[in-house]
Amino acid sequence: MSLPHAILTALLERPSSGLELTRRFDKSIGYFWSATHQQIYRELGKLEAEGHIRALPSEQPTRGQKKSYEVLPAGRAELARWTAASQDPKPHRDTLLLRLRAAAVVGTEGIEADLRHHLALHRRQLAEYEEIEQRDFPPGKGGPQDRLRHLVLRAGIDLETFWTQWLTHALEEFTELPDRDPA
Amino acid sequence: MSLPHAILTALLERPSSGLELTRRFDKSIGYFWSATHQQIYRELGKLEAEGHIRALPSEQPTRGQKKSYEVLPAGRAELARWTAASQDPKPHRDTLLLRLRAAAVVGTEGIEADLRHHLALHRRQLAEYEEIEQRDFPPGKGGPQDRLRHLVLRAGIDLETFWTQWLTHALEEFTELPDRDPA
DNA sequence: CCAAACATGTAACGGGTTACATGATTAC
DNA sequence: GTAATCATGTAACCCGTTACATGTTTGG
């Protein structure tokens, strides 16, 4: 139950239409909570029905017409409640690690190429994060809000750093593996 | 579409009943692919219907009676096919990071306690992984299969190390934050 | 006018989660 | 014999995914 709260956060940062939200989820928020436009429209409908947000009255709501939303006090209260409440971390699922485990049983065919593919993607993401850090968080300034946001970005950078290092190490192991590609 | 392949892998490592699988998912495999017993029974039914696994003939299948499964050649082939196929990494979702972003807007009430909670959990998980490493992967021995499994465990260890470090850093930032707990 | 891009949706499906149901075995 | 535990399942709900549908604005 996090998507509505992700949307509330985004709308508090700036009132937006469904498609604008989708675009913002493709960038900053989507780095740790992705969503498609179908999910977002569905959720906007629910949030409006619950009285947590409302459409800006300026535009009339016909299909194909842009419709922007803003957060109502009830929505802000719900977000504050959710943010303050303790939550157990969800177990994480990782297909690549699962495939490695499977490969230990049925063979490593095809894995090495995919490790390289993942490595390239993580390297690119890391570069993107570091660019954002240099642009948005110059050293030695920024209020408490900036420090929180920087902390989140830092997690992204460190995570991508971990993956690039681990994948590099994994590829080294692979090239040393005696019986790969028994052609 | 990974749960069936997780089950196939587990069953290839050792034929098991539904509840035994559930227990193994609570341990080793569940470290990167968790599943409840309901999911597992549902999936075992599908896999059997597709001819990928079969119930060991020894036991008759009444409710409440233990029923063990083994992988058929078709199941092994399917697992090999899935393992070799390239897959794009799924976007990851992290509630804690989302909450931090929300906290930048609606306040940090309650977050610090939860950071401590998460830190404790990640520290415990890290200790568990390191115990497993010392027990199962003594330095300087092991075949190719062991090296793959060690690689996977290594990812777990490094991930938990990252989280403990990041959470420690985050808590330091929090105690320096000027306007927290304005009592 | 027509095509492309913009913008908002609907429908169907599958997997994950939670709550509950039921039969068999074991311990007291 | 009955309570606890083991073991297998059913049912309902929500969320994420994919494919598709429909209307509007803009550019040529």
Side-chain angles (χ1 to χ4, degrees):
Chain A
M1 261 269 295
S2 300
L3 177 57
H5 304 99
I7 291 178
L8 286 173
T9 304
L11 286 181
L12 278 172
E13 289 172 353
R14 177 156 27 93
S16 308
S17 68
L19 198 60
E20 282 165 358
L21 278 176
T22 303
R23 296 230 172 82
R24 293 172 62 195
F25 269 79
D26 283 342
K27 284 187 296 182
S28 58
I29 293 187
Y31 291 147
F32 47 87
W33 204 274
S34 69
T36 63
H37 80 273
Q38 292 89 338
Q39 282 179 274
I40 287 171
Y41 284 121
R42 190 203 286 171
E43 206 60 43
L44 284 173
K46 280 194 205 172
L47 285 168
E48 191 177 23
E50 291 164 355
H52 288 155
I53 63 174
R54 69 165 180 183
L56 289 183
S58 52
E59 348 252 357
Q60 62 270 45
T62 63
R63 196 180 184 125
Q65 212 88 6
K66 193 158 137 183
K67 196 162 78 171
S68 287
Y69 293 90
E70 66 177 357
V71 178
L72 295 172
R76 176 183 280 268
E78 165 57 24
L79 181 60
R81 188 205 60 73
W82 177 80
T83 305
S86 157
Q87 292 173 213
D88 277 329
K90 297 269 161 190
H92 57 85
R93 299 193 158 93
D94 192 297
T95 315
L96 187 59
L97 295 178
L98 186 61
R99 281 172 70 202
L100 272 185
R101 176 126 179 185
V105 180
V106 297
T108 59
E109 182 87 22
I111 296 271
E112 191 178 340
D114 228 28
L115 289 178
R116 289 190 205 287
H117 180 213
H118 277 71
L119 179 54
L121 292 176
H122 284 293
R123 275 212 247 258
R124 191 197 313 163
Q125 189 66 56
L126 177 57
E128 194 177 327
Y129 285 162
E130 283 174 337
E131 217 172 287
I132 293 172
E133 187 179 38
Q134 287 198 343
R135 188 187 59 215
D136 293 355
F137 303 99
K141 52 181 300 187
Q145 285 202 350
D146 287 319
R147 294 178 72 170
L148 279 178
R149 287 195 248 264
H150 192 184
L151 207 50
V152 173
L153 180 60
R154 218 43 244 185
I157 291 176
D158 292 350
L159 259 178
E160 296 302 330
T161 302
F162 150 73
W163 278 114
T164 55
Q165 285 175 354
W166 181 83
L167 284 165
T168 302
H169 174 62
L171 280 166
E172 284 167 8
E173 286 273 322
F174 255 71
T175 55
E176 291 172 17
L177 224 54
D179 61 347
R180 73 196 181 99
D181 197 10
Chain B
M1 260 268 296
S2 300
L3 178 56
H5 305 99
I7 291 177
L8 286 172
T9 304
L11 286 180
L12 279 171
E13 289 173 354
R14 178 157 27 95
S16 307
S17 68
L19 198 60
E20 282 165 357
L21 278 176
T22 303
R23 297 231 172 81
R24 293 172 62 195
F25 270 77
D26 283 342
K27 283 185 301 183
S28 58
I29 294 187
Y31 291 148
F32 47 87
W33 203 272
S34 69
T36 64
H37 80 273
Q38 292 91 336
Q39 284 178 272
I40 288 171
Y41 285 121
R42 190 202 285 170
E43 206 61 43
L44 283 172
K46 281 193 204 171
L47 285 167
E48 191 177 21
E50 292 163 354
H52 289 155
I53 63 174
R54 68 165 182 184
L56 290 182
S58 51
E59 348 252 354
Q60 61 270 41
T62 63
R63 195 182 185 123
Q65 211 90 5
K66 193 159 135 182
K67 196 160 80 171
S68 287
Y69 293 91
E70 66 177 357
V71 178
L72 295 172
R76 176 183 281 268
E78 166 56 25
L79 181 61
R81 186 203 61 73
W82 176 82
T83 305
S86 158
Q87 292 174 214
D88 277 329
K90 296 268 161 190
H92 57 83
R93 299 193 159 93
D94 191 296
T95 315
L96 188 59
L97 295 178
L98 186 61
R99 281 172 70 203
L100 272 186
R101 176 126 179 186
V105 178
V106 298
T108 59
E109 182 87 21
I111 296 270
E112 190 178 341
D114 227 29
L115 289 177
R116 290 191 205 287
H117 181 213
H118 276 71
L119 178 55
L121 293 176
H122 283 294
R123 276 214 247 258
R124 192 197 312 163
Q125 190 65 57
L126 177 56
E128 194 177 327
Y129 285 162
E130 283 175 337
E131 218 173 286
I132 293 173
E133 186 179 39
Q134 287 199 342
R135 188 187 58 214
D136 293 355
F137 303 99
K141 52 181 301 189
Q145 285 202 350
D146 287 318
R147 294 178 72 170
L148 279 178
R149 286 196 250 263
H150 193 183
L151 207 50
V152 174
L153 180 61
R154 219 41 245 185
I157 290 176
D158 292 348
L159 259 178
E160 297 300 331
T161 301
F162 150 72
W163 278 114
T164 55
Q165 285 174 355
W166 180 83
L167 284 164
T168 302
H169 174 63
L171 280 166
E172 284 168 9
E173 286 274 321
F174 255 71
T175 55
E176 290 171 18
L177 223 53
D179 61 347
R180 71 194 185 100
D181 198 9

